[in-house]
Amino acid sequence: MKSSIGVAVIGAGMAGRAHAQGYRSASTVFAAGLPEVRLVAIADANETLGADAARRYGYERAETDWEAIAAAPDIDAVSVVVANTLHREIVEGLLAAGKHVLCEKPLAPTVEDARAMVQAAEKADRVAAVGFSFRRSPAVGAIRERVASGELGRPLHFNGHYWCDYGCSADAPMSWRYKGGPGSGALADIGSHLIDMAEFLCGPVESVHGAVLSTVIPDRPVPLGTAIGHAGGVELSDRREAVENEDMATFTATFQSGAVGTFSVSRVAHGLPNALGFELFCADGSAAFDVSRPAEFTVSDRVSGDHRRVLTGPEHPYIAGGLAMDFPGVAHGINDFFTYQARAFLEEIAGVDGLPRCADFAAGLRNLELLDAVVRSAGSDGSLPG
């Protein structure tokens, strides 16, 4: 085991800052045994943004390009949190330089890119993980345990949604999120999380059906500067560019277990900034989760006979030792998921037997294959006779 692990984050936007904070907090949770975590660098093409993130989260320096991170001998592990189209080049470069990599979802812009990244990871023999952060929810973990133990019986129906409103305004600035073709919009951005959550609970999806991809805002204004995050915060020009991908996606699925799934994702869900939730109906019970109330879930089973609210506590995943006040009813939130994810990534690098491992690149590839299946389903003609 190395005496320390030097970490860096490429991308200083919203999710990049969550990764940076996750590494900063990773040593403060759970048992002793993790090597010293050195907060080395944050890189971003926007020099001001990168320097501010480095200052805020206590990193030693800021860089303006990923190549500096790859070349740095004091960096061992790197989070890649940039536009999806940049993932492959950066990840392959980092792996070739001997770095361990945690790449944000979706793993790549295409299935072909993801396959190449899997091969690069196998060749590099480094930890190569994908950031499916909702796997770290204590409530979701508690529901998964109930499914795995058989307490709820065989899953029958997963009904999930991920609705956001960041694209509601027709004058929200054009950015990489609105480029890339069918499937690269709301489906990849937030649907990737929802699909991973469904398989995390119900096992592998066998097929998808009846997909609909819809774009309701056809063009957006071109920013005069760099749009940061969802809010933009940048002056707009008079010129508009066409939106290339979907604002909404719906589809159904069948799981290998025989369960069925219904899915809905949207970036134009007015008034819902970050609304992920699901209901899971099983042969002997049911469970539900809503991320707007992250520290609780609901469950019913044949023993109790009622649908009851459960507050997460030390008997559930990640709570004991995972919070400064690890007491029943003390709330936690999505930012904590990134801390648990960073901790799991660092533990795998160090060979520490602690938290469940992060999803690997093979899981990221499978997620891309499912997204691709949804796009192909949407291209099928299911129209009724005129």
Side-chain angles (χ1 to χ4, degrees):
M1 181 188 296
K2 295 188 64 170
S3 60
S4 67
I5 301 173
V7 300
V9 178
I10 299 174
M14 177 178 64
R17 295 193 297 271
H19 279 253
Q21 172 62 28
Y23 289 124
R24 179 185 174 97
S25 302
S27 297
T28 71
V29 295
F30 306 116
L34 192 68
E36 176 194 2
V37 178
R38 292 179 287 104
L39 308 178
V40 181
I42 294 180
D44 198 283
N46 184 316
E47 184 175 3
T48 300
L49 189 66
D52 180 66
R55 176 194 61 79
R56 288 175 62 182
Y57 299 107
Y59 284 67
E60 295 172 9
R61 62 181 183 268
E63 304 285 359
T64 56
D65 59 78
W66 69 266
E67 289 93 342
I69 301 296
D74 55 347
I75 294 172
D76 305 295
V78 185
S79 277
V80 177
V81 199
V82 293
N84 304 335
T85 55
L86 303 176
H87 284 186
R88 178 178 174 180
E89 177 188 11
I90 294 174
V91 167
E92 288 183 346
L94 292 171
L95 290 171
K99 312 300 185 187
H100 304 282
V101 177
L102 172 57
C103 182
E104 255 301 327
K105 59 77 217 164
L107 178 61
T110 68
V111 170
E112 291 72 22
D113 288 323
R115 287 180 181 144
M117 292 164 71
V118 169
Q119 292 174 358
E122 291 171 347
K123 181 179 179 180
D125 192 28
R126 290 292 184 267
V127 176
V130 184
F132 290 120
S133 52
F134 286 102
R135 291 189 180 198
R136 303 295 165 177
S137 160
V140 172
I143 293 172
R144 187 171 190 255
E145 288 180 347
R146 283 164 166 76
V147 173
S149 70
E151 176 183 332
L152 301 180
R154 179 173 64 88
L156 302 177
H157 180 200
F158 174 91
N159 179 55
H161 66 265
Y162 202 161
W163 299 326
C164 297
D165 65 0
Y166 66 82
C168 271
S169 172
D171 291 325
M174 176 57 69
S175 74
W176 63 267
R177 294 183 187 277
Y178 303 106
K179 298 288 187 179
S184 65
L187 181 63
D189 191 23
I190 52 182
S192 54
H193 270 309
L194 187 62
I195 289 172
D196 180 71
M197 187 64 53
E199 289 203 313
F200 188 62
L201 294 168
C202 301
V205 168
E206 185 173 67
S207 60
V208 298
H209 318 272
V212 176
L213 306 181
S214 177
T215 304
V216 296
I217 298 177
D219 53 56
R220 293 182 178 276
V222 176
L224 293 173
T226 302
I228 299 172
H230 292 315
V234 62
E235 188 177 353
L236 304 176
S237 71
D238 295 330
R239 186 166 62 90
R240 301 179 74 89
E241 288 184 347
V243 171
E244 299 175 353
N245 51 33
E246 71 286 346
D247 292 320
M248 301 179 290
T250 60
F251 61 97
T252 62
T254 56
F255 295 84
Q256 289 181 10
S257 65
V260 299
T262 48
F263 298 79
S264 171
V265 299
S266 174
R267 62 189 182 194
V268 289
H270 196 279
L272 296 175
N274 192 58
L276 179 146
F278 63 81
E279 296 82 33
L280 176 60
F281 302 99
C282 302
D284 298 312
S286 65
F289 172 72
D290 183 340
V291 79
S292 67
R293 303 173 70 92
E296 64 182 61
F297 60 99
T298 58
V299 66
S300 67
D301 54 58
R302 292 189 185 276
V303 175
S304 65
D306 59 354
H307 203 73
R308 63 193 183 279
R309 182 175 67 133
V310 180
L311 299 179
T312 55
E315 70 275 19
H316 300 124
Y318 300 105
I319 298 297
L323 297 171
M325 295 180 63
D326 53 358
F327 190 76
V330 175
H332 61 268
I334 292 175
N335 285 295
D336 296 293
F337 304 169
F338 285 91
T339 296
Y340 307 153
Q341 177 177 268
R343 173 76 187 210
F345 178 52
L346 295 169
E347 285 184 349
E348 186 170 3
I349 293 169
V352 173
D353 185 15
L355 300 182
R357 299 307 193 203
C358 293
D360 61 14
F361 273 20
L365 169 59
R366 174 171 176 77
N367 190 262
L368 263 294
E369 290 172 338
L370 284 168
L371 296 178
D372 185 61
V374 174
V375 174
R376 286 187 282 108
S377 172
S380 301
D381 183 11
S383 60
L384 297 175

